Amino acid sequence: AQSVAQPEDQVNVAEGNPLTVKCTYSVSGNPYLFWYVQYPNRGLQFLLKYITGDNLVKGSYGFEAEFNKSQTSFHLKKPSALVSDSALYFCAVRDGGFQKLVFGTGTRLLVSP
Amino acid sequence: DAGITQSPRHKVTETGTPVTLRCHQTENHRYMYWYRQDPGHGLRLIHYSYGVKDTDKGEVSDGYSVSRSKTEDFLLTLESATSSQTSVYFCAISESMDSSEAFFGQGTRLTVV
């Protein structure tokens, strides 16, 4: 079965510093990987996806993610964090057909002023 | 935001009663999904639909049923609510079964007392 792991429950970073939210995956075949963000009392918002092609994927709000096949990782990054980036971030992998997603447990990002 | 409306947004119900949650979309997307979100588990797939009257089970389908009589509506029914079904429920839609991302509704917070 496909799975993703988010090893950090929380990441703390100061505003203006680079941020990384980690995700590792376990799949059979080629992975379809996604990052979503959830703000308080809201649904999930799509940030970016890796299907194939360049290992560096650019997404919404200045986020990017690096796909690393040898390390089975898909870490989310941003060069300069904003306080407004504080939210819950989920990594996900497509499981079989029909765009069914398997989610990680989530990482809470706190950006301090 | 994608045109997805979940109703109700909040509900408190008693153990043993049936409950129906509604997801309505205006995007004419073929694929619809119900997930539940619980701390420490991320989101887990309950049921999904790949067309009118075409549905299938997800990872945590026990105690839940679904129906889709129209493209735009996907109903989730808790046949006899239990306290373990206290959760936040999210509906999602996607346009294709291939690489397109899923879009999520704002969620329904259900409390079973």
Side-chain angles (χ1 to χ4, degrees):
Chain A
Q2 323 289 54
S3 66
V4 291
Q6 295 181 244
E8 302 157 316
D9 290 336
Q10 184 165 309
V11 170
N12 297 302
V13 64
E15 188 173 32
N17 284 357
L19 69 87
T20 298
V21 182
K22 295 180 180 178
C23 174
T24 59
Y25 66 88
S26 174
V27 303
S28 55
N30 294 321
Y32 284 25
L33 295 161
F34 302 81
W35 276 102
Y36 284 84
V37 60
Q38 184 180 32
Y39 297 101
N41 300 313
R42 299 292 300 274
L44 276 69
Q45 296 179 29
F46 169 76
L47 281 179
L48 51 80
K49 65 183 178 184
Y50 173 82
I51 305 300
T52 187
D54 290 341
N55 290 340
L56 186 63
V57 179
K58 294 190 181 297
S60 306
Y61 313 122
F63 284 93
E64 58 190 26
E66 185 174 9
F67 173 72
N68 188 315
K69 187 173 183 178
S70 63
Q71 297 186 6
T72 61
S73 66
F74 188 56
H75 299 333
L76 182 70
K77 300 182 179 184
K78 188 174 183 181
S80 179
L82 300 173
V83 172
S84 57
D85 292 330
S86 298
L88 187 58
Y89 290 81
F90 288 98
C91 180
V93 63
R94 196 185 81 167
D95 182 19
F98 302 116
Q99 204 56 241
K100 296 179 292 180
L101 296 174
V102 174
F103 286 85
T105 51
T107 299
R108 187 165 302 281
L109 174 67
L110 291 178
V111 182
S112 55
Chain B
D1 289 346
I4 308 170
T5 304
Q6 290 186 232
S7 59
R9 293 292 313 280
H10 299 87
K11 186 171 181 66
V12 179
T13 192
E14 293 186 349
T15 299
T17 60
V19 177
T20 296
L21 309 183
R22 181 184 184 232
C23 177
H24 178 78
Q25 61 142 331
T26 59
E27 305 295 326
N28 201 35
H29 284 358
R30 179 177 177 183
Y31 303 93
M32 300 186 74
Y33 315 81
W34 278 106
Y35 290 88
R36 60 178 288 175
Q37 182 180 15
D38 303 289
H41 291 279
L43 281 81
R44 293 176 292 174
L45 182 65
I46 305 171
H47 281 280
Y48 64 99
S49 171
Y50 46 96
V52 174
K53 297 185 178 172
D54 291 324
T55 65
D56 206 347
K57 297 178 180 180
E59 178 188 359
V60 290
S61 60
D62 287 349
Y64 301 95
S65 62
V66 291
S67 66
R68 191 166 178 203
S69 59
K70 297 184 291 185
T71 298
E72 57 266 35
D73 290 325
F74 192 32
L75 304 181
L76 176 70
T77 297
L78 287 66
E79 295 143 6
S80 177
T82 67
S83 59
S84 64
Q85 294 176 311
T86 292
S87 186
V88 181
Y89 292 84
F90 287 99
C91 174
I93 64 174
S94 65
E95 188 171 14
S96 79
M97 62 175 284
D98 195 3
S99 62
S100 66
E101 58 270 25
F103 297 97
F104 285 78
Q106 294 199 337
T108 295
R109 183 173 296 276
L110 176 67
T111 302
V112 183
V113 298

